[in-house]
Structures are given as structure tokens and as C-alpha cells.
Amino acid sequence: MAVQVPSRQLFIDGEWREPILKKRLPIINPATEEIIGNIPAATAEDVELAVAAARRALSRNKGKDWATAPGSARAKYLRAIAAKVTERKTELAKLEAIDCGKPLDEAVWDIEDVAGCFEYYADLAEGLDAKQKAPVSLPMETFKSYVLKEPIGVVGLITPWNYPLLMATWKVAPSLAAGCAAILKPSELASITCLELAEVCREVGLPPGVLNILTGLGPEAGAPLASHPDVDKIAFTGSSATGSKIMAAAAQMVKPVSLELGGKSPIIVFEDVDLDKAAEWTAFGCFWTNGQICSATSRLIVHENIVREFLDRLVKWTKNIKISDPFEEGCRLGPVVSGGQYEKVLKFISTAKSEGATILSGGVRPEHLKKGFFVEPTIITDVTTSMQIWREEVFGPVLCVKTFSTEEEALELANDTHYGLGAAVISNDLERCDRVSKNLQAGIVWVNCSQPCFCQAPWGGNKRSGFGRELGEWGLDNYLSVKQVTQYVSDEPWGWYRSPSKL
């Protein structure tokens, strides 16, 4: 399918601008390994311009144009963006699929979610007005107190390549709803749709500087953004190692950060399940988005009484997944995002083998695909808890398996990780599901499913999976500062000191 990739520049202060150093990076289609275009590569010089534009956007007309405008005024822009995204859904989905390799059906779903997320935060922006000056109940009648919620200011948003436009929207929509001005730095491995978001913002007349979009490499564009003294907050989704560096940079200026980092999430399958339903959710939980999900339930913990039959069923489901170019009808697994990622996934698999694990299924390039960064969905058994495959995030279609005999043992295995993003439990005993949900050390728990995500519900992790919550009202709070205003309402003097007039 011929997809024309638009040639774009950086988006700064409401205009397309060539990078100061005129550098560009190639765009590689992961399904064909062909160069299909290029993106501008921002550097620290461009970050300076974008941050200055965002600062101006906040202070223009004493803030009345954006930061202190009614939430209903900002909501109009968010709704207009949602409408444009919906209008361009087919084109944006094709650009997403060709850029990051996800199946076209998935990409369409993502773009629908993008529009839905902008709509949702338009509603919350409108609701902000009514929540201003919320009274605080005090124990002294001589004082009255209320709370104001104000935008944090200029925010740097650094986003990943697995859901390029959707993950950007998770940050852009609430930050704009709150009245912040933002600089978005998407991953250099998949930036096309984020640059198209810039075009959408231009078309709807978003005030200049409210959203600036800088594509480029992490060290050259992301790092100067994270450490910039005029950026008031950084919100980052990506690897734990990069998250750590962003925290360190922010710490120098006591700058707030919210981090959504890696995961090694468990899925516990008890012995009372419908094997086919459980097998499909297990496959979906690890192989959806080509296995490249921070919350992937990539550690299967299955009851020993059903392990043989369950794995037999799971292998059949897995072998039935259509692996192909993302544009082929019915594709359910595309390539991983890049050559580097492909090599990394295969190295995880070969290390597991050398450490004594068994590759039950997959683990290789599909025979019918000679080009592209394709890896068959992989199931690995005979795993011990000290193996790399059990402990480290693969970010590819690789599932490792252990068995358990008791609920306590299942929970011990599930919580045996530095991460704490997601977890799933599958059982027909809902009381047990409830118990297990309470004891799983994760920010998100799925019962009798894996991976559903709704922009109304909070998203984020514990432990090394980061902190802060995106989505829902929590996502808006990420970009708001809380101000207490307290007034003395009595006509009487305070009376703490002796009045000089009475001496």
C-alpha cells in the first residue's frame, strides 16, 4: 500500500521551522527496512526557541489568551483537534502503521482513542471552571479558605514509539486542558503522526507557542529539554534507565517529574478457567502491539494442574496469529520497531536458551518474511526466577512461563520483580480475584482480561515502573498546581500582641 509520508519541519511558536543545525534523521519502515522519508533533528538551540515560545504563550495578554482563560475556551480547541483527528483517521492510522509497524487495525483503534482522549479532556477543562475556589472547611469561624487550581506552567513531554500519537495525546490533552504550554519531544523512532498533530493544531488555530513539537534524538533534544531551567515540569514515558537520568536532571532544580517506565507484568491463571478464553487473553496481553507494551503481561504464572493442557492450547492460539506486513488484511502481529530492537529481542531469547530455558514456540524470524524486523510470538518454559528473561523487560513478543500450586506462591512469583505497572488474574472465583487484586503490587490490575485501557481510568505504576498517574482526573491533576487562599473575616483585631495604642 503506497503511503505518502509528508515532509515536515519542527513546530515552534505556531510555525514550521527548519532545525537551526539543519539536521534530519531517516524514517525506516520496520516491515520493509526501507527509508521512506525523514524527520527534522532538533538540538539544544531549537529547544531554547521552543521554551521561549511556550513562556510567551503563557504570559501573552497577561495569561488571558491561555493560562488564565476559562477552561471552556481551551476546551473549544481540544474539541476542534479531536474533530480534525477523526476527519483524518484513515490517513493518520496508515502513517502510524508504516512508521512503528503496528497492524493497521490496531493503528485505527489508536487514532480513535486519540480523538476520544482530546474530547474527554475538553470536558474536564470545562469542569475546571466550576471547581475553582472550592471551599475548605476550617475549625475557626474567623477564617475562610478556598483552593485555586492553576497550570504548572511550561511542561516538557517526552513520549515513546510504541503508541506514538496516543501516548503523546495522554500528555498533550491534559496539559493543554490545565492551561499549560507544552513542548512535545516524541521518540525519533516514530514521530510522523506527532508532526501531523502539529499540522492539526495549526489548522484549528491553536494560539502560537501553546504546543511546540520537536523531533530528534534523546541526548540532543530530550536531555536539554529535561534540564532546561525555564521548563516547570517533565512528564516522561519510556525506559527506567532514561527515567532515572531525567529525575537526576530535574533534581538539580527541584523540578517535578511524572514517570511511566518499564514493566515485567505478571498474568496469573488459576485452574478453574475456561482454557480458550484464558489462552486468548494471555496471548493478547503479551503479543498485542507486537509485544511492545510497557504493561505487557509477559510473565505467565499458571496453576501446575493445568499447565500442560493450557500451554498446548496457548501454542495453538499463538500459531494462529497472522504475522505479516501491517497493511495486510487480518494482520495481528507486525514487525518490532527497529533493527536495534529486533537484535535486542533475539538476544533475550538466545540468552534464555543458554541459561537453560526451553523455547516452546516461536523465537525466530517467520519463514515467509525475508525482510522486516519480524519475530514470531515466543513462549519460553523451564524458567527460573534468576534468569534474565524473568527479570528484565524484553519489549517484544516474548512470554515466559512458571507454574504455581497455591495462591500464596502465585502472589510471591507475581510480586517478585523490581517493576509494578500492570498485573492480571484469571479465575472464575471472583472472591479469589478480589483477594489477589489487593495483594498484587501494581498500579493497574486486570481481572479476567489483560491490557484494556480507558482514558477515564488512572494509569501508572509502582516501584521502578515510575510514579504519578496519567489519564482520568488524575491525568489533569498532573499539570495543575494547588493554591490555598485563606482570608481573615472577623472585624476584631487579631490580638496576639499588646496594642501600642493601649499602652
Side-chain angles (χ1 to χ4, degrees):
M1 184 181 288
V3 178
Q4 195 60 45
V5 176
S7 182
R8 299 287 189 199
Q9 299 292 358
L10 303 173
F11 188 66
I12 300 173
D13 210 12
E15 297 174 350
W16 294 113
R17 294 201 186 184
E18 190 177 18
I20 287 176
L21 301 187
K22 296 181 169 47
K23 290 170 72 172
R24 294 189 77 85
L25 301 169
I27 302 167
I28 295 166
N29 176 351
T32 63
E33 302 180 42
E34 289 167 5
I35 293 175
I36 53 171
N38 55 58
I39 54 167
T43 54
E45 295 85 348
D46 303 297
V47 171
E48 283 298 332
L49 292 177
V51 173
R55 279 267 154 233
R56 283 195 301 275
L58 283 187
S59 60
R60 195 179 294 119
N61 194 12
K62 296 185 177 171
K64 289 175 190 162
D65 286 5
W66 192 256
T68 62
S72 56
R74 296 192 295 271
K76 282 176 188 160
Y77 289 106
L78 296 181
R79 288 213 172 86
I81 292 169
K84 277 277 177 203
V85 167
T86 302
E87 196 181 294
R88 294 183 58 188
K89 177 173 80 173
T90 305
E91 174 206 355
L92 289 170
K94 286 175 183 174
L95 289 171
E96 203 76 294
I98 205 168
D99 198 12
C100 72
K102 65 170 59 195
L104 183 59
D105 288 349
E106 268 192 45
V108 169
W109 200 357
D110 282 6
I111 304 303
E112 289 170 353
D113 282 353
V114 166
C117 192
F118 274 108
E119 284 279 358
Y120 174 74
Y121 281 106
D123 290 346
L124 289 198
E126 283 178 339
L128 259 181
D129 297 340
K131 288 183 178 172
Q132 293 296 19
K133 295 195 169 181
V136 178
S137 176
L138 301 177
M140 294 174 73
E141 286 177 8
T142 47
F143 293 95
K144 276 187 179 172
S145 187
Y146 64 82
V147 165
L148 294 175
K149 289 192 171 185
E150 301 173 334
I152 276 182
V154 171
V155 293
L157 314 174
I158 303 175
T159 56
W161 45 257
N162 54 342
Y163 292 84
L165 188 53
L166 184 57
M167 293 276 140
T169 300
W170 282 17
K171 292 175 171 41
V172 169
S175 63
L176 299 194
C180 294
I183 298 105
L184 169 65
K185 206 303 271 181
S187 165
E188 70 279 5
L189 292 177
S191 295
I192 299 174
T193 50
C194 287
L195 288 171
E196 292 313 294
L197 175 63
E199 177 59 14
V200 165
C201 290
R202 209 178 61 80
E203 287 173 9
V204 305
L206 189 72
V210 163
L211 178 62
N212 307 275
I213 300 178
L214 304 180
T215 54
L217 300 169
E220 292 179 9
L225 178 61
S227 61
H228 201 291
D230 284 336
V231 173
D232 300 302
K233 172 171 181 162
I234 295 289
F236 170 78
T237 297
S239 72
S240 297
T242 306
S244 219
K245 286 179 190 160
I246 284 170
M247 255 183 109
Q252 308 308 309
M253 288 159 282
V254 198
K255 179 184 300 187
V257 294
S258 48
L259 304 173
E260 201 259 78
L261 308 176
K264 192 74 186 177
S265 301
I267 180 166
I268 304 172
V269 178
F270 283 91
E271 73 276 25
D272 61 347
V273 298
D274 176 306
L275 293 179
D276 276 313
K277 280 184 193 166
E280 186 181 9
W281 278 116
T282 301
F284 186 76
C286 190
F287 303 141
W288 187 42
T289 312
N290 310 336
Q292 300 168 131
I293 322 176
C294 45
S295 58
T297 39
S298 57
R299 291 185 301 135
L300 167 61
I301 300 164
V302 57
H303 196 282
E304 61 187 14
N305 290 354
I306 59 164
V307 63
R308 198 162 287 171
E309 197 183 348
F310 184 71
L311 288 179
D312 184 49
R313 203 70 60 89
L314 182 60
V315 167
K316 285 184 176 127
W317 274 90
T318 302
K319 295 226 179 275
N320 206 34
I321 293 171
K322 180 172 178 177
I323 311 169
S324 69
D325 184 288
F327 289 95
E328 266 191 41
E329 186 73 33
C331 173
R332 286 295 176 264
L333 191 91
V336 294
V337 76
S338 67
Q341 198 61 23
Y342 173 77
E343 295 300 334
K344 187 180 152 199
V345 172
L346 291 181
K347 181 82 171 62
F348 265 107
I349 295 166
S350 66
T351 301
K353 212 170 170 179
S354 70
E355 287 183 352
T358 302
I359 312 303
L360 181 67
S361 180
V364 292
R365 164 186 284 284
E367 278 180 26
H368 66 290
L369 294 162
K370 307 299 178 203
K371 271 276 184 212
F373 309 124
F374 292 92
V375 180
E376 282 189 5
T378 304
I379 300 169
I380 300 178
T381 57
D382 301 316
V383 171
T384 66
T385 55
S386 60
M387 286 181 185
Q388 180 200 44
I389 200 70
W390 180 261
R391 307 220 72 80
E392 292 182 29
E393 182 176 45
V394 177
F395 228 67
V398 181
L399 179 73
C400 60
V401 186
K402 279 196 73 61
T403 60
F404 71 93
S405 57
T406 66
E407 191 177 305
E408 290 70 28
E409 190 188 356
L411 280 163
E412 201 173 306
L413 286 167
N415 292 331
D416 174 35
T417 173
H418 292 307
Y419 295 110
L421 184 52
V425 53
I426 302 191
S427 169
N428 285 331
D429 180 343
L430 294 182
E431 275 184 24
R432 170 158 60 193
C433 289
D434 204 36
R435 267 195 321 273
V436 170
S437 296
K438 283 179 185 151
N439 288 297
L440 284 164
Q441 295 164 6
I444 304 150
V445 177
W446 294 290
V447 175
N448 291 330
C449 59
S450 180
Q451 304 310 315
C453 175
F454 302 94
C455 67
Q456 297 80 3
W459 183 276
N462 308 331
K463 300 195 268 190
R464 288 190 203 170
S465 290
F467 50 82
R469 291 293 178 267
E470 296 197 291
L471 302 184
E473 293 186 13
W474 302 268
L476 185 64
D477 287 342
N478 252 336
Y479 301 100
L480 290 168
S481 176
V482 175
K483 179 184 280 183
Q484 173 214 136
V485 179
T486 297
Q487 178 188 357
Y488 184 57
V489 292
S490 169
D491 292 333
E492 295 298 315
W494 184 225
W496 181 255
Y497 298 109
R498 280 179 66 192
S499 168
S501 61
K502 291 185 179 171
L503 288 173

